[in-house]
Amino acid sequence: AVRMRPGMPATITQWGGDGVLTGTVRRIDPGGFTKVSALGVDEQRVDVTIALDAPPARLGDGYRVETHVVVWRSPAALMAPMSGLFRQGGHWCAFVVKDGRAHLQTVAIAHQTEDVAEVTGGLQAGEAIVNYPPDALRDGTAVAPERKAP
C-alpha cells in the first residue's frame, strides 16, 4: 500500500463471476489496522477503494476477492524468475548456463515481486539461468539442459 497512489490500474479476480474486472485506485485510507490471519499471524492491513470500469449487474458486497494493483510497469524490462536468483555475500546472483556449464554471475535487480525481478545488470536477454539451484552447485559445474514435458 505504501507504493500505491490514486489513479493506478487494478484488476479483480475471484469475485464470483466470470472474467476479470478492471478498475482504478480511488482512495488509500491514511491509517492501517492489524488483523490476525488464519494462521494466527498479526498482519498489517489498509483499506483501498477501487472504482470499477464496468461493474457487473450482479455484484455482492463484503466478499473476499483477489485484487492486483499495478504499482510499476515497463514493457521493455528484462525479467528473471526469482526461482533462479539468490543472495550470496550481500549480492544477488544467478547461475548462467553457457556451453553446458553453470557460471556464477552477480546480478543487479530493481523492482521485484514474489515471482519475478527486473534485471538491470549482469544478465542478457535470452540467457538461460538455473532455476532452483541446489546448494551444491558450483561455478563451472556441468548441467543438463532443461527437459521439456512431452
Side-chain angles (χ1 to χ4, degrees), residues 7-26:
M8 290 180 161
T11 59
I12 300 166
T13 59
Q14 309 281 326
W15 58 275
D18 293 329
V20 175
L21 302 178
T22 60
T24 305
V25 173
R26 289 289 176 235

Side-chain angles (χ1 to χ4, degrees), residues 30-73:
F33 57 93
T34 302
K35 182 169 181 165
V36 179
S37 75
L39 297 175
V41 177
D42 285 349
E43 296 178 340
Q44 298 300 307
R45 306 250 178 123
V46 65
D47 285 332
V48 176
T49 303
I50 297 173
L52 297 176
D53 295 336
R58 297 185 65 212
L59 184 63
D61 182 28
Y63 294 94
R64 181 185 182 281
V65 297
E66 290 288 326
T67 305
H68 298 272
V69 175
V70 178
V71 296
W72 175 82
R73 180 183 307 205

Side-chain angles (χ1 to χ4, degrees), residues 8 15 59 86 91-92 103 124 131 133:
M8 290 180 161
W15 58 275
L59 184 63
F86 56 94
H91 301 283
W92 283 103
H103 298 281
Q124 300 297 317
N131 279 315

